[in-house]
Amino acid sequence: EETIRFLQLALYQGRSAKTTAALTIEMQVSDNPGLQQSNADPTLFCTAMKKNRFYMLTQREPEEVSKSGESERDVFNEKPSKEEQMAATQASTERRVGDTASIHTTMGDVHIRLFPKECPKTVENFCVHSRNGYYDGQLFHRIIKGFMIQTGDPLGSSVAALLYLLLCTAPMVVTSYVCVGNGTGGESIWGGEFEDEFDRNLRHDRPYTLSMANAGPDTNGSQFFITVCPTPWLDNKHTVFGRVTKGMEVVHSISQAKTNPRNDKPFEDVKIVSIIIK
């Protein structure tokens, strides 16, 4: 038994149910449950020294033991342990990610299988961006026939067309902005960039592989690409985090779009409508 020093006591008097008949002494000491329920049940509330909980002292009998064999009388609110905090964080992360993604484009749907166990941070970044609508309306701003299709640059929408008009009228004004819309934009859900996640079982060994675009080691942001052929030279340089399971013909059709040879941008816009995570 532990020694408890109770503090900050408060009494709740309770209120008895109204009865239409007067109770005699014999009726009050009887075993009639109906009469016993009409009695008031005062409850004492209090805290205790160096205890992160409060106590309720009452005349009621303890609740019945649950089916698991453990009493549910005590509700603890102490600071969780490190193990409990890690478990809660992991559960929260698992809710943020999914196992599949459906990329709805202006040319059709592409269904993806994701790999959250092998590259959890990359998949979380992709799923949260998708659920927040970050990719909605974004262009496939870079398409290389027989190689891959790339998207995920929030600056690659109508900015490129606007810059073209500006360059025609006032080229000196936009000299320092000509890179905008050609694959240099985007950031992670944490802001900035995050590290690569390579797995020896996830390689660029087949077409229709979903992988992260980057500008060098540990520079992942929001951009990604889907290959249309095996690209083994990208292994250990770009994080593979998914595979196309359905809609390969859509990926192939997008890869066949006519592009500007100077920047690989398609002449006709191909956009992401939305991405659904499940």
Side-chain angles (χ1 to χ4, degrees):
E1 295 183 2
E2 60 177 336
T3 303
I4 300 176
R5 180 180 176 184
F6 292 114
L7 302 171
Q8 299 175 327
L9 281 67
L11 179 65
Y12 172 67
Q13 295 284 4
R15 185 176 63 179
S16 60
K18 295 182 179 180
T19 58
T20 56
L23 298 179
T24 63
I25 296 178
E26 291 78 5
M27 295 171 64
Q28 290 182 355
V29 299
S30 67
D31 294 330
N32 189 332
L35 295 176
Q36 291 177 354
Q37 291 177 358
S38 65
N39 294 332
D41 180 27
T43 302
L44 184 66
F45 292 83
C46 58
T47 60
M49 178 173 286
K50 296 183 179 180
K51 299 292 183 181
N52 294 327
R53 67 180 75 173
F54 66 89
Y55 299 82
M56 299 171 59
L57 308 179
T58 177
Q59 294 179 349
R60 297 181 183 180
E61 293 295 328
E63 296 179 359
E64 295 182 359
V65 177
S66 63
K67 294 181 181 180
S68 62
E70 298 179 357
S71 174
E72 298 179 351
R73 293 173 54 201
D74 296 330
V75 179
F76 300 97
N77 62 341
E78 284 84 355
K79 183 178 180 179
S81 63
K82 291 184 178 179
E83 292 76 11
E84 293 172 333
Q85 290 179 355
M86 291 179 62
T89 302
Q90 183 177 4
S92 176
T93 300
E94 290 175 353
R95 288 192 295 270
R96 287 159 62 92
V97 304
D99 296 318
T100 62
S102 298
I103 304 177
H104 304 293
T105 77
T106 52
M107 294 186 67
D109 297 344
V110 180
H111 300 274
I112 306 287
R113 175 194 173 193
L114 302 173
F115 302 109
K117 292 183 179 180
E118 291 81 358
C119 35
K121 199 164 187 178
T122 306
V123 173
E124 181 183 3
N125 181 69
F126 175 78
C127 290
V128 173
H129 267 332
S130 299
R131 288 197 169 112
N132 291 341
Y134 184 88
Y135 295 120
D136 296 358
Q138 290 192 17
L139 294 175
F140 285 89
H141 63 272
R142 187 182 181 209
I143 297 176
I144 301 179
K145 186 177 181 180
F147 176 29
M148 62 87 191
I149 60 175
Q150 183 173 333
T151 184
D153 181 2
L155 302 178
S157 54
S158 59
V159 177
L162 176 60
L163 285 174
Y164 178 77
L165 293 176
L166 290 173
L167 283 169
C168 293
T169 55
M172 297 301 294
V173 177
V174 293
T175 300
S176 61
Y177 298 95
V178 293
C179 62
V180 178
N182 66 353
T184 60
E187 64 178 10
S188 71
I189 60 174
W190 303 282
E193 302 166 341
F194 65 96
E195 65 275 10
D196 299 315
E197 292 180 307
F198 301 135
D199 187 280
R200 63 181 182 179
N201 296 319
L202 297 177
R203 319 295 288 178
H204 297 83
D205 56 357
R206 68 197 73 176
Y208 310 114
T209 293
L210 178 67
S211 189
M212 287 297 292
N214 60 43
D218 302 324
T219 58
N220 299 287
S222 62
Q223 295 189 42
F224 60 91
F225 60 90
I226 302 175
T227 63
V228 294
C229 67
T231 55
W233 61 90
L234 300 180
D235 291 342
N236 298 322
K237 294 180 180 179
H238 296 265
T239 300
V240 174
F241 67 100
R243 306 275 193 200
V244 177
T245 58
K246 187 178 179 181
M248 289 84 162
E249 70 283 356
V250 176
V251 177
H252 181 74
S253 297
I254 296 175
S255 71
Q256 298 297 309
K258 293 183 179 181
T259 60
N260 187 328
R262 294 186 301 173
N263 55 14
D264 300 318
K265 184 179 182 299
F267 289 111
E268 294 185 7
D269 290 348
V270 182
K271 297 183 179 181
I272 294 176
V273 177
S274 64
I275 301 179
I276 305 300
I277 303 298
K278 293 183 179 180

